[in-house]
Amino acid sequence: MKVKKSTIVISFCFFTLFLLYIFLASQPLAKELQLLPVWSISVQQPLSQPAKDDIPIPFKLGQIMGYFTKDGKIISSITFPYKATISSHYYTQYAGSATTIPFYNQDGSLAGTIKTSGFPFFFDDKIYHFFPGGASFMQCNEDGSERWRYEGVFPITAFSSSAAGCAVGFADGTIIAFSNEGEQLQQFSPSGSEYPIILGAALSPDSRYIACISGQNKQRIVLAKREQEHSIIIYFKYFEKDQTSQSLVQFSKDSSLLYYNSPNGLGIVNCETGKNTEIPLKGRVLSIQESEVDNTAYVLSRQNDMYSVTILETSMNVLGTFSYKAKSSFIIADEDSLFIGKDTQISRLELSKN
């Protein structure tokens, strides 16, 4: 993707190098769309005070996490030695041996404490905590106290959260969808493989659909729809080769599309028609971010130390792609902006229509 060949003078050398990746390892966008650089910052630069109307955006790069703003301010930057989780509302760092885990609001004030050992996970304003042993978890209240819990027997092998609740996959091939109140919305076992482990799971934002990557030796993607108290499989496809690690499964914000990591790239299923489209990509799909500009979406994939960002129309057309080397990376879409984290820097690009 090539932006206009105007001369841009930038004081930060790392920003210049980042732009060279975009210029040299890219393909053209559609004529009416342009992806233009706005700013680039280091997560290690001095902190700034946020304005009253600033909305903190969470980041996690390597062993550093914190918050930044849309106009390029780093308002917190925290180095953690072991493990950490962060969302738009909360963050914490912890060790596996910790018996209590305090967590914090965006501004660094204490939000609450999870008074048991295990592994917390934050998604937006939701607080989940996985117990040692790997078969049980709970959702917490905003102070860290227990809201509801599920105690299982088989190890949890896949988990994701959405606006409607969460989807959990287990080593025995069972997948369960829970509401935000802990009610079991759907539960079924897709089967169809020699070894029935679940390696990816998702619940649609409207709670109508549940999807998973299921099994080893004849692995497949499965999409099911809730019909009263039953889950009806409405689409499935076997893969040409198995994936052996956890894989991304995600619904679009409006619940109309299912995205999944296929062995060949990105798979997209229309939940109403059942039409499947596969887009060849290098490496594994790590993240999908939907934009508010012209129904576009960004896909972050990785192959070894090379990351790629692919820009799609939701009609499944590839608009452009660019690649860069990094040890860690993330993407976040916000209105017309694309934020890209790369090692110790964050850059903002703007998708404009001309």
Side-chain angles (χ1 to χ4, degrees):
M1 145 193 42
K2 297 182 180 178
V3 297
K4 293 180 178 179
K5 296 182 179 178
S6 57
T7 303
I8 304 174
V9 179
I10 302 170
S11 58
F12 296 109
C13 292
F14 61 80
F15 190 22
T16 304
L17 292 174
F18 180 72
L19 292 178
L20 285 176
Y21 280 121
I22 298 175
F23 288 134
L24 298 178
S26 58
Q27 297 175 0
L29 282 177
K31 291 183 179 180
E32 69 274 13
L33 293 176
Q34 290 186 329
L35 192 59
L36 303 174
V38 180
W39 51 252
S40 190
I41 53 177
S42 169
V43 300
Q44 298 172 324
Q45 70 184 40
L47 302 182
S48 301
Q49 289 293 326
K52 290 184 179 180
D53 58 347
D54 281 338
I55 299 176
I57 303 170
F59 74 86
K60 186 179 177 184
L61 285 168
Q63 297 300 122
I64 303 175
M65 67 176 173
Y67 295 92
F68 67 96
T69 64
K70 190 173 182 178
D71 61 355
K73 300 174 188 173
I74 296 292
I75 56 178
S76 69
S77 182
I78 303 158
T79 301
F80 56 93
Y82 300 109
K83 297 180 180 181
T85 180
I86 187 169
S87 74
S88 57
H89 285 68
Y90 307 112
Y91 72 88
T92 189
Q93 54 179 309
Y94 61 96
S97 58
T99 56
T100 60
I101 304 173
F103 59 96
Y104 304 89
N105 297 307
Q106 299 167 338
D107 61 4
S109 61
L110 181 66
T113 301
I114 301 172
K115 297 179 180 180
T116 182
S117 58
F119 310 92
F121 170 70
F122 301 151
F123 177 83
D124 291 339
D125 62 346
K126 298 178 185 178
I127 303 166
Y128 299 98
H129 186 74
F130 297 85
F131 296 106
S136 304
F137 74 101
M138 68 178 177
Q139 185 173 350
C140 302
N141 296 308
E142 59 184 11
D143 63 354
S145 61
E146 180 180 326
R147 185 177 184 186
W148 58 266
R149 75 164 60 192
Y150 173 83
E151 294 186 345
V153 176
F154 296 97
I156 295 169
T157 53
F159 181 90
S160 69
S161 182
S162 72
C166 62
V168 190
F170 297 87
D172 71 335
T174 302
I175 180 169
I176 305 176
F178 297 90
S179 72
N180 291 317
E181 291 71 40
E183 174 192 3
Q184 289 192 21
L185 301 175
Q186 299 187 56
Q187 177 175 346
F188 73 106
S189 299
S191 66
S193 305
E194 183 176 356
Y195 305 104
I197 187 172
I198 304 296
L199 291 177
L203 174 68
S204 65
D206 65 4
S207 79
R208 289 191 301 159
Y209 302 104
I210 189 171
C212 65
I213 290 177
S214 170
Q216 291 283 288
N217 195 1
K218 295 193 70 176
Q219 186 176 82
R220 60 179 180 161
I221 179 72
V222 178
L223 171 63
K225 185 176 183 180
R226 182 169 58 155
E227 297 286 354
Q228 297 180 348
E229 298 180 357
H230 302 283
S231 298
I232 308 299
I233 294 177
I234 58 175
Y235 177 84
F236 71 89
K237 179 183 178 180
Y238 285 102
F239 296 153
E240 295 178 1
K241 57 181 179 180
D242 290 352
Q243 301 175 88
T244 57
S245 58
Q246 292 180 332
S247 296
L248 180 141
V249 180
Q250 178 182 319
F251 287 94
S252 60
K253 292 178 181 179
D254 64 1
S255 302
S256 65
L257 300 175
L258 168 65
Y259 301 104
Y260 64 93
N261 186 93
S262 79
N264 300 317
L266 175 68
I268 307 173
V269 179
N270 185 306
C271 296
E272 292 296 329
T273 66
K275 180 182 178 182
N276 179 73
T277 302
E278 291 210 16
I279 299 172
L281 296 176
K282 295 180 179 179
R284 293 176 56 80
V285 176
L286 303 179
S287 177
I288 299 170
Q289 293 281 307
E290 294 178 312
S291 170
E292 297 182 12
V293 179
D294 275 18
N295 295 316
T296 51
Y298 305 100
V299 182
L300 179 67
S301 57
R302 180 181 185 180
Q303 186 175 48
N304 300 321
D305 62 348
M306 185 66 70
Y307 288 84
S308 297
V309 177
T310 302
I311 306 170
L312 303 175
E313 286 182 318
T314 51
S315 58
M316 321 310 174
N317 294 323
V318 176
L319 298 179
T321 185
F322 58 90
S323 301
Y324 51 91
K325 287 187 176 181
K327 294 180 180 179
S328 60
S329 185
F330 70 80
I331 59 171
I332 297 173
D334 180 25
E335 296 179 340
D336 61 350
S337 297
L338 172 64
F339 301 100
I340 300 179
K342 173 181 175 290
D343 293 336
T344 59
Q345 71 184 63
I346 301 172
S347 299
R348 176 187 169 192
L349 306 177
E350 185 176 281
L351 187 64
S352 62
K353 185 175 181 180
N354 294 317

